[in-house]
Amino acid sequence: MLLWLGGWGAAMDSAAEGIGVLAAGEADAGTAGGPLGFVGTAARAESPSWLAAHPVRDVVYAALESEGRVQAFRRTGEASLAPLGRPVEVGEAVCHVAVSPDAGFLVATCWGDGRVVRVALSPEGAPGDIAAAAAATDPHAPERADRADAAASTGPADIDLRAAARALREAAGEEYAHLVPANDEPVDQPGSPQTQERVSRAHASLFLPDGRIATTDLGFDLVRIWRRGTEGLRADHEVVLPAGSGPRHLVWHPSGHVYVVTEFSREVFVLAADETGRWRLVAGAAASAASLPDDTGAEITLSRDGEYVYAGLRGSNTIAVLRVRGGGESLAPVALVDAGVDWPRHHLVVRDTLLVAGQRSNDVVSMSLDIRTGVPGRVRHRTAAPSPTRLLPARP
């Protein structure tokens, strides 16, 4: 099978020349368990750090991070792409795009300035008009924290983060309690919002089955829930996570929960919607008790059967494995394994194989997944690839 590779380019002091092509396994197989090979560059572009696929057409969307633009590419051959329409300006350091299931628009999130932007798509899939959503405000700023405390004293309208942190520490037990940050105790993590000025940093988006959209704000420790509006995205409500945790990426679980991996606190939080449709923080777990203090969370994905969660940790260069418990409302760490690469920026499960992109080691590796334990084994195959940051399966 073929996969498109996102990557950082020269403008970001890296080696990718555009969207790359990775061959994994046999050409006519639906698994990626065989040898890996970097085919070449499918389309030249500057730092296409994240890629997303059109739900119907053979079109790929790239977040051109160094340029702050989104560009569409149509497939012109087995391993070639060509620009579709013009790139559109969305915001500083755009780092993620996701396409609506009906192909009517995409959502771009920008790490540099915190912008969340809806981009309309033509019937052919070309990007068009943009509409920026309302900017985020910091829930942990003193003025907002005071209002939240006042609200908590009069009624349980929103989750009490201090109480939630205490509950998570109690559930973790004495051995792991120190890994759960308290809402009023900053996480002293290099580069985290607690060691520099807190600014909004939108990082990823997820389309929910009910038509709403969830986006993460890594800088303000928020998951924001949006509804479609006639002229863009309309804010519905938000879920506040502990200060300094840094929600990065998120994934939908078949149980109806959403799992969020945090960059700075290296945790996986569980969100659930109540009977009114309002999302809340219900649980959380350290990705691994053995992670290093300077590790940062990266990608999160599920096993094929949804029984396991895989979270990448950059620094120690490991993959944390967690087991889904109960009805999906809780997670338990299972193992921490060597990722086989330097700086595992992204990873992907293809049937019984885990593919991992090493951004700094300039390679992609594959590991088999144990069907009984869900734990990845040793590296089976490896190929050189220029600063890979995203793995996206191409249409067969």
Side-chain angles (χ1 to χ4, degrees):
M1 64 181 300
L2 293 180
L3 298 96
W4 308 118
L5 292 181
W8 275 8
M12 303 186 77
D13 298 322
S14 297
E17 297 180 345
I19 300 174
V21 185
L22 176 75
E26 302 301 327
D28 57 351
T31 179
L36 303 175
F38 179 70
V39 177
T41 300
R44 297 202 174 259
E46 182 50 57
S47 297
S49 62
W50 189 265
L51 307 174
H54 190 284
V56 178
R57 298 183 178 278
D58 215 346
V59 173
V60 174
Y61 299 92
L64 307 181
E65 189 165 352
S66 63
E67 297 182 347
R69 303 192 295 179
V70 171
Q71 172 72 67
F73 295 87
R74 60 183 178 85
R75 194 170 186 176
T76 56
E78 183 182 29
S80 60
L81 298 165
L84 174 64
R86 294 186 176 185
V88 294
E89 304 279 346
V90 291
E92 183 181 345
V94 55
C95 59
H96 191 279
V97 290
V99 185
S100 64
D102 65 2
F105 65 97
L106 65 79
V107 174
T109 43
C110 305
W111 181 89
D113 54 18
R115 282 165 58 96
V116 176
V117 180
R118 190 197 71 171
V119 180
L121 299 178
S122 73
E124 294 74 30
D129 295 338
I130 70 168
T137 57
D138 188 355
H140 298 288
E143 61 275 13
R144 284 199 65 184
D146 290 343
R147 290 198 297 270
D149 287 344
S153 67
T154 58
D158 290 292
I159 190 169
D160 183 336
L161 289 177
R162 292 175 177 82
R166 288 194 296 271
L168 290 178
R169 286 197 295 274
E170 291 173 2
E174 292 184 3
E175 183 178 0
Y176 303 130
H178 67 285
L179 297 171
V180 181
N183 184 48
D184 54 353
E185 297 174 3
V187 177
D188 185 15
Q189 188 74 279
S192 80
Q194 297 300 334
T195 56
Q196 60 185 3
E197 181 184 1
R198 287 177 64 87
V199 295
S200 175
R201 298 199 183 282
H203 207 286
S205 59
L206 173 69
F207 282 86
L208 303 173
D210 65 3
R212 291 183 293 177
I213 303 104
T215 63
T216 56
D217 193 304
L218 186 149
F220 282 170
D221 304 303
L222 284 172
V223 175
R224 307 176 75 192
I225 308 298
W226 307 87
R227 292 185 182 275
R228 304 183 187 204
T230 56
E231 297 180 357
L233 300 181
R234 178 167 55 88
D236 190 86
H237 65 280
E238 61 189 32
V239 183
V240 182
L241 299 186
S245 54
R248 179 180 170 89
H249 283 191
L250 64 178
V251 66
W252 171 264
H253 188 264
S255 65
H257 296 84
V258 169
Y259 301 147
V260 184
V261 66
T262 62
E263 181 162 330
F264 301 124
S265 65
R266 309 172 304 282
E267 297 170 277
V268 179
F269 285 111
V270 181
L271 308 185
D274 63 19
E275 62 278 3
T276 69
R278 188 176 182 86
W279 287 87
R280 299 179 184 276
L281 168 63
V282 296
S288 171
S291 65
L292 300 180
D294 59 352
D295 276 352
T296 56
E299 179 60 295
I300 182 170
T301 193
L302 305 175
S303 62
R304 188 181 182 189
D305 58 9
E307 290 294 317
Y308 297 94
V309 176
Y310 303 99
L313 298 175
R314 298 167 295 182
S316 61
N317 297 330
T318 52
I319 302 293
V321 185
L322 299 94
R323 181 74 181 265
V324 176
R325 297 294 189 186
E329 72 279 0
S330 64
L331 301 170
V334 171
L336 185 69
V337 301
D338 190 335
V341 299
D342 184 7
W343 215 248
R345 172 70 175 263
H346 190 255
H347 60 270
L348 178 72
V349 172
V350 182
R351 294 192 178 182
D352 61 349
T353 301
L354 181 70
L355 297 172
V356 185
Q359 182 179 346
R360 293 182 177 174
S361 52
N362 295 293
D363 56 3
V364 176
V365 301
S366 65
M367 295 177 277
S368 295
L369 297 172
D370 189 304
I371 60 174
R372 296 174 295 106
T373 66
V375 177
R378 295 180 179 179
V379 170
R380 293 190 60 194
H381 301 284
R382 181 188 306 273
T383 185
S387 56
T389 58
R390 166 68 161 145
L391 300 157
L392 177 67
R395 289 184 182 277

